[in-house]
Amino acid sequence: MMHLADPITQPQFYRDVAGKRFMAWIVDTVIIGLICALIVPFTAFLALFFWVGLYAVVGFMYRTITLAIGSGTWGMRLMAIEIRDSSGARLDLGQAFLHTLGYTISWAVVPLQLISIMLMATSNRGQGLTDIVMGSAALNRRARA
């Protein structure tokens, strides 16, 4: 049975992960915004009135699908990190959905997001609140090899 790498004996798995997650979040935010912008004309521009809702739905779908397919969003892949479950395996669709749900709830409840950011910056595995609840962690992809 596989397990997540130990941050003390194998720090290369977690080195700079918090910063990489932030950069990945920026990339993903831009990608989701572009996808939404492409959708707007197909709604006769009515989606502009519901931009926040459109962004939330597209973002939820984008994160769930990309986490389920590659255990990382396109931004995470660009930054060479991926999310692994507590056993060290890639996320399946159900886990990707739950991870995205936790992320979305954290954004909806600002104190939860602040706690999550603090945890990512200070925990030895760089885990956010959702990661801690699920037992998952972001790992450097190159460290796996």
Side-chain angles (χ1 to χ4, degrees), residues 32-115:
I32 294 165
L34 290 173
I35 293 169
C36 290
L38 290 171
I39 291 171
V40 167
F42 293 102
T43 66
F45 296 93
L46 291 174
L48 289 173
F49 295 106
F50 307 102
W51 180 263
V52 174
L54 174 66
Y55 188 92
V57 170
V58 169
F60 196 95
M61 290 172 50
Y62 165 83
R63 290 180 194 287
T64 300
I65 292 167
T66 56
L67 283 173
I69 291 172
S71 214
T73 63
W74 290 344
M76 289 177 188
R77 292 180 210 174
L78 183 65
M79 296 297 129
I81 58 175
E82 60 188 7
I83 304 289
R84 294 297 183 119
D85 69 12
S86 60
S87 69
R90 291 174 165 249
L91 300 182
D92 61 25
L93 181 59
Q95 291 169 318
F97 176 83
L98 291 174
H99 198 279
T100 303
L101 182 62
Y103 168 83
T104 304
I105 291 169
S106 290
W107 271 105
V109 182
V110 176
L112 294 179
Q113 185 60 22
L114 295 174
I115 291 168

Side-chain angles (χ1 to χ4, degrees), residues 18-19 30 32 38 59 75-76 88 92 101-102 113 121 124 127 131 133-134 140 145:
V30 170
I32 294 165
L38 290 171
M76 289 177 188
D92 61 25
L101 182 62
Q113 185 60 22
N124 56 2
Q127 293 171 295
D131 293 317
V133 169
M134 290 186 62
N140 283 310

